[in-house]
Amino acid sequence: MAVINNMVLSKFLGLCPFFGVSKKLSNAISMGVAVTLVMLLASVSSSVIYNYILVPYNVEYMQIVIYILVIAALVQIVELIIKRTNLNLYNALGIYLPLITTNCAVLGITLINSAENYSILESTVSALGAGMGFTLVLVIMSGIREKLDLADTPESMRGLPIAFITAALLALAFLGFNGMM
Amino acid sequence: MNDLRDKREDCPGRSVGSIFWKEFVKGLVISNPVFILTLGLCPILAVTTSIDNALGMGAGVIFVLLCSNIIISTLRNATPSLVRIPVFIVVIATFVTILSLIFEAYIPALHQSLGIYLSLIVVNCIILGRAEVFASKNPVLYSIADALGIGLGYTIALFIISFLRETLGTGGLNVFGFQLFSLPVLSEHPLTFFISSPGAFLVIGLLMALFRWIGVVKCE
């Protein structure tokens, strides 16, 4: 899950933070850790809700509404906890923390878990893998982009377009991991 | 008066009469959600492997954007600003659920191939963004125009990308079962690279550069 079906490069989830936060290496690492944490908590709680509330009462179609509320609540709680316990980390994460709510990778992994009918343990593991894959790619990408800033790119290519082409090459490299399965 | 207005909108559509039309055109061209604002990227890359998927996704986004804009703009005076974001999200999530049920019932094949990306319209930045920036501050009629313009702009972007990817990647074009054309050499040796995920990044990166280049040339 972490490298073969990478969240960003093969499922295209979480692209907004991928291109938004990957300008500096330090930000990329903290963002990756925060996303992994929220993903893990969200997967566990949503799979508990799915298996013990939605399925017994036959209301699986409510999953989108429920999951998005669970994720929003979780992000708030994580934000409060980090603020109380570690103020430095809170300041470092800044605006990126509340933005995790609208990160499609988080909602995506919970929806994938229920679509695949994973048990609670399986969803935890898949969320951990997905989060680590996200962090890995984010860190690699930000390393490349730090160097890319120094390069002389054509004017209309500067910024996002060249970032996309970089991502294309990165995705090509990750495609090679397919052979591992 | 007329002169003044013409001058102010010299860059967007010049002959624009009503505000409705202006909001509509704005979303379509000037602030195209994908190429200029770079919003809602995740589904763009995922569903543009074929024209069918892209058009289905575009229709879905227009539906959700239109309905949620109408509701949010109707309720804009009754929503306390402190809880507005949760309210928006619940409204949007409701319409996405409705959309997903409709697709499942009437076009199951499309529902199958769009998969979780259909549900992920909930967290598409475009919809929440338009709710926050436009629908929560403007009357219902203008919000409808805004939703149609932005939604169509999104669909056109989806269409362009998927057109390129399907033509290059399979060597022909199939729209809902009808074969429109197939290129002589490409259909025998398709460039499958463009259907795969690296191809998606490459195509959108180049298109973005192209749009930006056109923008630079026009402004000068």
Side-chain angles (χ1 to χ4, degrees):
Chain A
M1 194 74 195
V3 286
I4 296 166
N5 278 329
N6 190 283
M7 270 312 217
V8 180
L9 296 177
S10 78
K11 286 206 173 23
F12 309 116
L13 296 175
L15 283 179
C16 298
F18 179 63
F19 288 112
V21 196
S22 64
K23 280 192 188 123
K24 272 180 67 188
L25 194 59
S26 52
N27 283 347
I29 295 174
S30 18
M31 182 67 185
V33 172
V35 167
T36 312
L37 186 68
V38 174
M39 243 182 207
L40 207 55
L41 291 172
S43 292
V44 173
S45 44
S46 66
S47 93
V48 168
I49 290 173
Y50 183 76
N51 285 323
Y52 292 103
I53 299 176
L54 296 186
V55 173
Y57 290 98
N58 266 327
V59 282
E60 287 99 333
Y61 63 85
M62 284 292 283
Q63 58 176 339
I64 303 172
V65 183
I66 305 268
Y67 289 176
I68 193 86
L69 290 176
V70 166
I71 292 169
L74 270 174
V75 171
Q76 291 274 295
I77 295 170
V78 170
E79 197 180 345
L80 275 181
I81 292 174
I82 293 181
K83 197 177 180 180
R84 285 287 155 81
T85 54
N86 191 340
L87 205 60
N88 283 337
L89 183 63
Y90 177 76
N91 288 331
L93 288 175
I95 180 77
Y96 304 125
L97 205 51
L99 281 182
I100 295 175
T101 315
T102 52
N103 184 335
C104 35
V106 178
L107 186 65
I109 192 77
T110 58
L111 289 172
I112 289 173
N113 286 340
S114 3
E116 302 271 326
N117 268 322
Y118 282 160
S119 69
I120 297 170
L121 186 67
E122 282 167 331
S123 347
T124 316
V125 175
S126 86
L128 191 65
M132 278 162 64
F134 180 77
T135 315
L136 177 72
V137 174
L138 201 61
V139 169
I140 295 177
M141 185 70 180
S142 63
I144 297 175
R145 283 187 78 180
E146 274 188 0
K147 290 270 178 287
L148 207 61
D149 276 347
L150 305 173
D152 184 27
T153 40
E155 195 179 346
S156 50
M157 283 285 216
R158 218 164 277 167
L160 266 182
I162 196 74
F164 264 95
I165 292 167
T166 314
L169 296 175
L170 210 56
L172 204 56
F174 269 73
L175 214 57
F177 286 115
N178 271 339
M180 273 168 41
M181 280 295 256
Chain B
M1 180 67 203
N2 229 343
D3 215 57
L4 196 90
R5 190 196 281 161
D6 274 352
K7 248 178 208 156
R8 218 186 312 147
E9 325 174 320
D10 54 351
C11 204
R14 257 155 242 132
S15 58
V16 171
S18 64
I19 302 178
F20 185 93
W21 184 244
K22 198 183 107 193
E23 294 303 341
F24 180 73
V25 172
K26 180 196 74 189
L28 210 59
V29 186
I30 299 141
S31 49
N32 186 298
V34 178
F35 295 123
I36 310 292
L37 302 180
T38 62
L39 288 176
L41 287 175
C42 313
I44 282 271
L45 291 150
V47 303
T48 49
T49 45
S50 75
I51 293 256
D52 297 5
N53 285 352
L55 292 181
M57 188 70 186
V61 169
I62 292 177
F63 170 79
V64 174
L65 195 56
L66 190 60
C67 296
S68 63
N69 256 12
I70 291 173
I71 297 286
I72 287 163
S73 142
T74 315
L75 295 175
R76 71 185 185 283
N77 294 326
T79 320
S81 66
L82 200 64
V83 292
R84 65 181 195 287
I85 301 284
V87 169
F88 296 166
I89 290 183
V90 172
V91 169
I92 295 167
T94 311
F95 283 114
V96 173
T97 310
I98 295 172
L99 177 78
S100 163
L101 290 174
I102 292 174
F103 269 41
E104 199 171 359
Y106 294 105
I107 18 183
L110 196 59
H111 182 263
Q112 190 73 36
S113 63
L114 287 177
I116 66 164
Y117 297 103
L118 197 61
S119 315
L120 284 177
I121 295 180
V122 182
V123 283
N124 194 322
C125 337
I126 291 178
I127 294 168
L128 193 61
R130 289 334 282 178
E132 166 74 11
V133 173
F134 201 89
S136 62
K137 299 186 185 89
N138 287 287
V140 179
L141 195 63
Y142 301 158
S143 303
I144 294 176
D146 179 71
L148 287 177
I150 294 276
L152 274 179
Y154 191 72
T155 312
I156 287 173
L158 278 170
F159 180 79
I160 296 174
I161 300 168
S162 62
F163 178 81
L164 285 174
R165 284 184 70 192
E166 192 178 339
T167 312
L168 292 171
T170 63
L173 210 56
N174 268 310
V175 182
F176 298 109
F178 299 104
Q179 179 138 36
L180 283 189
F181 63 85
S182 76
L183 301 169
V185 184
L186 270 178
S187 53
E188 280 160 38
H189 307 284
L191 304 166
T192 39
F193 169 75
F194 285 98
I195 296 282
S196 69
S197 53
F201 282 109
L202 188 71
V203 167
I204 200 169
L206 292 176
L207 277 175
M208 226 177 238
L210 182 71
F211 263 62
R212 209 179 274 191
W213 182 71
I214 293 171
V216 170
V217 169
K218 263 194 174 173
C219 274
E220 281 166 357

